[in-house]
């Protein structure tokens, strides 16, 4: 016969005069900072006490009740009531609702105090938004809602901005499918269909950062030279009903497409078709995105593929192509310039040879069952397929590691439900982004920390590329760093993280993965990886017999992965100090000067995405003034920020202008006199810009 379930007994509740209550020394909340007693008292005065106090009878030396009760749980509420008594707003004999724990309870007072704080769950931001929206619909203003819950008006407005986000995305957020800052980014647009489309595109990849969401929602036109356009094809876009705008007076790279949503849909449809073919190869997973962040595969393992052996027919074809190539080169060895048709033929031969020499790779089906593929677009619009990556959870594990257990983290929360209103502002702190900052029209405000970090990430990658190409400087920097550590005990602020530890870019701009340095660093890495033996002994022997020039080149490449020229926002209790960042940037400047690093030659140019759309109008005008002269800046000063940024991108194209974070040493621009074209020419270019629909 099944035993009966034992029923619990709840503690009794009753009203106890306030002057019969005392604060218990068993209350675990000892830190008084940030408790906002005044706000809680005002809230109790307005709406009454929403949650009872937890009390226990005070006993005398003989164990008899004295008629006084101590408060181990609810100390903040007790202090708020105490303040109301001092303010003469509450009688000292007023009954206070209390849950009374019986004397001699086996549950410790500290246990009750801790449980009340730990077990409470803060209100979800989405629930807060819905509550604010309900109060707004019932007639309260934003200011009245903010005053009632003791939060800044900006918090209320930020929450109410979620009204512009589609219900589909809010449901995803409710299920922890996205972060609050991502939801806030979607609120920049009220086009629910476009919001859903952007999330569908981004949800298949790693890069779902708010800046990318905003960029995709706010872009009005796309250059015809964009990778998506090259991938889809301009004719396909026009056939699908898209329109193209053209500049009749300037080179426009084929014009601008004014329907990004249609372009994205066409690109994803074509990507999906390619993905279906790749998935049929037998991979465990295939992840698709228009682009992935730089270094997104760093946490993944890779399985090794086997190059397909070249066939006799392919060998014969390769020999014939090389013979034809040698014959043409011998025939025109003395010619100053090749005829156009001959030059074209040589290009075709080189491309055919490269195709034959680049062997396809096959993988073991058993390993494919635990690995996957990343499918995206390369910067030139071609399909970029990266096969053979294994997620961390699919990697073989050590049995000893599986037996280890992780410690659970217990987050400290506030002590009662009445504090939810006063804590609401803290929940929203993550929602404030650089795009929410008020714009300073009159002066030059400092660049946002995130933007400076993105720019220095770009510079770090360019430094790595230049570093790996100059073994002499690489070895000098390596020895310099080692000598500082070994002979002078200087460990912090190193530009070169000698060890070597690869420095990742947790914050990066949208153009980093497709930049020239990124392609060159990746190509160099893949070339070395293809040459290196896999076994440890075989690798040591191979390195031991490597010629000195190759050893130095490999050393430079390995060391380049540790170059760190990043600016980081310094947190009050962080491990990195302002002095460390300052010394790191100074050493990076010296390294850039030694390498003669020129970000312009490395492919950086100011665009709306990587700079102009991320700064204030004053910064945009400063860039145009430095790059093209005062008169060019005056010509666009009257424009709204989006139009100003777009026109500034056109004016600065080819100017060689760089923001401070990308300059080396002196902030002055090299060849500034050459950069500032005649004011009359700039004025004519601006005035003659006309756009016609294609």
């Amino acid at each position: 016969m099944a035993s009966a379930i034992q029923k619990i007994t709840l503690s009794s509740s009753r009203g106890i005069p306030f002057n019969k209550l005392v604060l218990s020394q068993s209350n675990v909340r000892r830190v008084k900072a940030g408790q906002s007693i005044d706000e809680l008292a005002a809230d109790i005065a307005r709406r009454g006490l929403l949650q009872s106090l937890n009390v226990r009878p005070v006993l005398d030396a003989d164990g008899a009740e004295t008629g006084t009760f101590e408060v181990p749980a609810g100390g903040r509420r007790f202090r708020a009531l105490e303040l109301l008594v001092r303010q003469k707003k509450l009688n000292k004999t007023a009954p206070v609702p209390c849950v009374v724990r019986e004397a001699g309870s086996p549950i410790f007072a500290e246990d009750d105090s801790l449980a009340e704080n730990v077990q409470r769950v803060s209100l979800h931001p989405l629930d807060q938004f819905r509550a604010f929206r309900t109060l707004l619909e019932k007639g309260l203003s934003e200011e009245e809602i903010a005053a009632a819950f003791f939060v800044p008006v900006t918090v209320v407005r930020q929450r109410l901005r979620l009204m512009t986000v589609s219900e589909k995305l809010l449901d995803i957020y409710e299920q922890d499918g996205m972060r609050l800052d991502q939801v806030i980014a979607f609120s920049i647009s009220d086009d629910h269909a476009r919001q859903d489309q952007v999330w569908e595109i981004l949800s298949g990849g790693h890069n779902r950062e708010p800046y990318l969401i905003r960029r995709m929602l706010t872009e009005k036109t796309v250059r015809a030279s964009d990778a998506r356009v090259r991938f889809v094809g301009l004719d396909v876009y026009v056939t699908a009903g898209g329109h193209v705008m053209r500049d009749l007076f300037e080179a426009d790279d084929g014009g601008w497409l004014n329907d990004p949503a249609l372009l994205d849909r066409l690109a994803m449809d074509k990507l999906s078709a390619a993905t279906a073919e790749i998935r049929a190869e037998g991979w465990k997973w295939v992840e698709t995105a228009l682009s992935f962040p730089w270094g997104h595969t760093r946490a993944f393992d890779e399985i090794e593929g086997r190059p397909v052996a070249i066939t006799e027919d392919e060998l014969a074809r390769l020999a014939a192509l090389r013979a034809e190539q040698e014959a043409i080169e011998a025939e025109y060895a003395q010619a100053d310039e090749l005829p156009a048709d001959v030059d074209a033929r040589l290009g075709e031969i080189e491309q055919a040879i490269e195709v034959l020499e680049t062997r396809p790779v096959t993988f073991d089906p058993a390993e494919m069952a635990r690995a996957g593929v990343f499918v995206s677009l390369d910067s030139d619009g071609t399909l970029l397929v990266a096969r053979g990556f294994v997620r961390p959870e699919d990697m073989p594990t050590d049995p000893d590691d599986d037996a280890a257990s992780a410690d659970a983290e217990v987050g400290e929360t506030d002590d009662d439900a009445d504090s939810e209103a006063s804590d609401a502002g803290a929940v929203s702190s993550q929602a404030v982004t650089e795009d929410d900052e008020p714009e300073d029209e009159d002066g030059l405000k400092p660049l946002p920390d995130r933007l400076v970090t993105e720019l220095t990430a770009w510079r770090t990658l360019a430094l790595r590329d230049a570093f790996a190409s100059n073994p002499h400087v690489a070895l000098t920097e390596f020895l310099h760093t080692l000598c500082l550590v070994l002979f002078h005990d200087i460990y912090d602020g190193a530009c070169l993280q000698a060890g070597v530890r690869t420095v990742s870019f947790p914050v990066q701009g949208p153009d980093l993965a497709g930049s020239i340095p990124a392609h060159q660093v990746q190509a160099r890495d893949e070339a070395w990886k293809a040459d290196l033996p896999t076994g440890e002994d075989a690798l040591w022997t191979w390195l031991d017999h490597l010629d000195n020039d190759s050893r130095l080149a490999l050393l430079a490449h390995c060391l380049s992965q540790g170059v760190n020229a990043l600016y980081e926002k310094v947190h009050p209790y962080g491990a990195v100090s302002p002095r460390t960042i300052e010394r790191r940037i100074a050493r990076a400047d010296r390294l850039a000067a030694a390498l003669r690093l020129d970000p312009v030659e490395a492919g950086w140019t100011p665009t709306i995405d990587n700079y102009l759309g991320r700064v204030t109008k004053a910064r945009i005008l400063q860039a145009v003034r430095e790059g093209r002269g005062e008169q060019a800046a005056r010509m666009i000063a009257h424009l709204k920020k989006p139009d100003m940024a777009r026109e500034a991108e056109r004016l600065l194209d080819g100017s060689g202008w760089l923001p401070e974070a990308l300059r080396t040493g002196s902030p002055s621009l090299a060849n500034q006199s050459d950069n500032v074209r005649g004011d009359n020419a700039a004025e004519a270019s601006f005035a003659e810009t006309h756009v016609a629909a294609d």
Side-chain angles (χ1 to χ4, degrees):
M1 180 177 178
S3 59
I5 299 176
Q6 185 177 1
K7 302 296 191 296
I8 64 172
T9 302
L10 299 178
S11 300
S12 60
S13 177
R14 71 187 211 222
I16 301 176
F18 178 76
N19 60 353
K20 296 296 183 180
L21 300 175
V22 294
L23 190 61
S24 173
Q25 296 303 309
S26 300
N27 193 302
V28 299
R29 186 179 291 278
R30 304 294 173 84
V31 179
K32 305 299 188 293
Q35 291 194 16
S36 58
I37 301 299
D38 292 344
E39 292 180 358
L40 181 56
D43 189 72
I44 294 174
R46 174 177 177 267
R47 72 178 88 247
L49 193 64
L50 296 180
Q51 185 178 359
S52 302
L53 304 184
N54 182 288
V55 303
R56 293 172 178 238
V58 177
L59 307 180
D60 60 18
D62 298 327
E65 296 187 8
T66 62
T68 303
F69 297 82
E70 63 175 350
V71 184
R76 183 165 169 266
R77 278 162 284 157
F78 175 84
R79 290 191 180 92
L81 294 171
E82 188 178 43
L83 177 60
L84 291 173
V85 171
R86 290 201 305 268
Q87 295 173 343
K88 308 300 184 183
K89 295 180 180 180
L90 180 70
N91 292 326
K92 63 181 180 180
T93 57
V96 178
C98 296
V99 174
V100 182
R101 174 79 73 178
E102 69 277 4
S105 171
I107 305 297
F108 296 123
E110 291 84 357
D111 194 342
D112 283 343
S113 179
L114 181 62
E116 185 183 53
N117 287 279
V118 172
Q119 296 295 339
R120 193 184 70 82
V121 177
S122 298
L123 191 67
H124 193 280
L126 190 57
D127 290 328
Q128 190 184 47
F129 149 66
R130 288 166 175 162
F132 285 168
R133 182 178 61 183
T134 300
L135 294 176
L136 188 70
E137 292 170 349
K138 290 186 175 182
L140 290 183
S141 66
E142 295 174 349
E143 290 75 13
E144 289 172 330
I145 296 173
F149 293 95
F150 303 99
V151 296
V153 178
T154 54
V155 172
V156 178
R157 289 173 179 164
Q158 286 172 356
R159 291 293 183 265
L160 291 177
R161 280 174 60 183
L162 299 184
M163 294 173 67
T164 63
V165 180
S166 76
E167 286 296 329
K168 177 181 178 180
L169 297 184
L170 291 180
D171 290 342
I172 294 174
Y173 172 51
E174 184 175 355
Q175 301 300 321
D176 293 331
M178 69 172 73
R179 305 190 308 269
L180 178 59
D181 58 349
Q182 294 169 325
V183 181
I184 292 294
F186 278 108
S187 68
I188 199 171
S189 168
D190 57 3
D191 186 344
H192 289 181
R194 178 59 174 159
Q195 290 175 357
D196 294 343
Q197 183 196 33
V198 168
W199 180 251
E200 184 179 353
I201 292 171
L202 297 181
S203 60
H206 292 341
N207 196 357
R208 309 174 191 175
E209 291 304 307
Y211 77 84
L212 185 58
I213 294 172
R214 290 187 181 91
R215 191 197 76 180
M216 294 182 68
L217 287 173
T218 57
E219 66 177 341
K220 303 299 182 184
T221 60
V222 177
R223 282 187 178 273
S225 57
D226 188 273
R228 290 169 291 177
V229 183
R230 296 182 182 183
F231 179 64
V232 171
L234 194 59
D235 294 340
V236 174
Y237 167 80
V238 173
T239 302
H243 296 280
V244 181
M245 300 185 297
R246 296 190 183 278
D247 192 330
L248 304 179
F249 295 88
E250 293 284 340
D252 59 8
D253 294 327
W256 294 269
L257 285 67
N258 61 0
D259 194 343
L262 173 62
L263 177 62
D264 284 340
R265 179 172 61 79
L266 294 173
M268 289 305 297
D269 288 346
K270 189 172 181 179
L271 268 178
S272 298
T275 300
E277 297 179 4
I278 295 170
R279 185 175 284 108
E281 296 175 4
W283 299 99
K284 180 177 181 179
W285 52 267
V286 178
E287 193 166 318
T288 306
L290 293 176
S291 64
F292 291 104
W294 168 260
H296 70 283
T297 60
R298 192 171 305 281
F300 290 73
D301 198 359
E302 290 186 63
I303 61 175
E304 186 177 355
R306 298 180 299 277
V308 176
I310 191 168
T311 65
E312 294 184 1
D313 291 340
E314 289 173 331
L315 280 174
R317 172 67 176 156
L318 187 60
L321 288 170
R322 286 174 175 164
E324 183 180 358
Q325 182 184 43
E326 292 172 359
I328 294 175
E329 290 174 348
E331 182 179 353
Y332 292 93
Q334 305 302 321
D336 294 332
E337 186 175 352
L338 295 175
D341 58 336
V342 175
D343 187 54
R345 177 54 187 162
L346 277 177
E348 293 173 357
I349 293 174
E350 290 173 358
Q351 185 175 5
I353 291 176
E354 183 179 359
V355 170
L356 288 171
E357 289 181 338
T358 305
R359 306 305 302 157
V361 178
T362 60
F363 297 88
D364 185 344
E367 292 188 322
M368 292 172 65
R370 64 184 179 91
V373 184
F374 291 103
V375 182
S376 60
L377 298 185
D378 209 342
S379 57
D380 61 357
T382 57
L383 193 66
L384 185 60
V385 181
R387 293 177 171 87
F389 290 93
V390 182
R391 289 171 172 158
E393 60 267 25
D394 294 328
M395 297 178 187
T397 57
D398 190 321
D400 295 336
D401 295 335
D402 293 337
S405 60
D407 294 332
E409 294 185 2
V410 179
E412 183 176 352
T413 61
D414 204 54
D415 70 336
D416 57 80
D418 292 302
S419 66
E420 290 181 4
S422 60
D423 287 340
V427 181
S428 68
S429 60
Q430 297 178 354
V432 180
T433 66
E434 60 192 16
D435 299 87
D436 296 323
E437 294 179 359
E439 186 171 308
D440 185 359
E441 299 288 355
D442 299 327
L444 295 175
K445 61 186 295 186
L447 292 176
D449 289 328
R450 181 189 178 90
L451 177 58
V452 177
T453 304
E454 289 182 6
L455 292 171
T456 52
W458 197 100
R459 186 192 190 209
T460 297
L461 198 59
L463 267 175
R464 289 181 182 180
D465 183 37
F467 190 100
S469 303
N470 195 321
H472 177 78
V473 173
L475 191 55
T476 301
E477 179 67 20
F478 186 30
L479 292 173
H480 177 262
T481 301
L482 293 179
C483 288
L484 287 178
V485 173
L486 297 175
F487 298 101
H488 300 288
D489 292 328
I490 298 177
Y491 293 87
D492 67 329
C495 168
L496 175 63
Q497 307 290 323
V500 168
R501 267 191 326 231
T502 301
V503 180
S504 61
F505 304 137
V507 176
Q508 56 182 264
D511 60 339
L512 184 67
S515 64
I516 294 176
H519 280 285
Q520 294 185 166
V521 169
Q522 184 173 359
R524 187 182 294 109
D525 190 71
E526 291 175 350
W528 280 114
K529 190 181 296 184
D531 290 343
L532 296 176
T534 54
E536 289 190 17
D537 292 341
L539 176 61
W540 196 95
T541 303
W542 185 84
L543 291 172
D544 188 47
H545 291 86
L546 201 61
D547 64 90
N548 194 52
D549 288 342
S550 298
R551 287 161 60 90
L552 288 175
L554 178 57
L555 174 64
H557 172 70
C558 294
L559 292 179
S560 72
Q561 303 303 307
V563 172
N564 185 359
L566 286 173
Y567 165 83
E568 297 178 47
K569 184 176 181 180
V570 178
H571 298 283
Y573 304 104
V576 181
S577 67
R579 181 171 173 269
T580 297
I581 300 297
E582 182 180 349
R583 292 177 61 183
R584 177 194 297 171
I585 298 301
R587 294 189 191 179
D589 281 342
R590 182 182 60 236
L591 186 58
L595 293 168
R596 290 181 169 81
L597 176 68
D598 184 354
V600 175
E601 290 184 3
W604 195 90
T605 184
T607 66
I608 294 174
D609 288 339
N610 68 15
Y611 186 83
L612 299 170
R614 313 281 298 283
V615 298
T616 63
K617 293 173 66 174
R619 284 280 181 184
I620 298 174
L621 292 175
Q622 180 196 39
V624 174
R625 189 178 297 112
E626 292 179 349
R628 292 302 187 194
E630 180 63 39
Q631 190 163 345
R634 285 199 301 267
M635 288 187 305
I636 65 172
H638 67 286
L639 298 176
K640 293 183 178 180
K641 183 176 175 180
D643 297 330
M644 180 186 289
R646 185 162 45 250
E647 196 59 35
E649 178 179 328
R650 188 180 67 84
L651 288 171
L652 290 174
D653 186 26
S655 67
W657 179 86
L658 294 171
E660 294 93 328
L662 293 183
R663 303 175 193 175
T664 298
S666 172
S668 61
L669 292 174
N671 303 321
Q672 187 171 4
S673 60
D674 295 334
N675 293 338
V676 182
R677 298 178 181 174
D679 286 336
N680 293 335
E683 184 174 7
S685 171
F686 181 79
E688 291 176 357
T689 301
H690 298 283
V691 176
D694 184 15

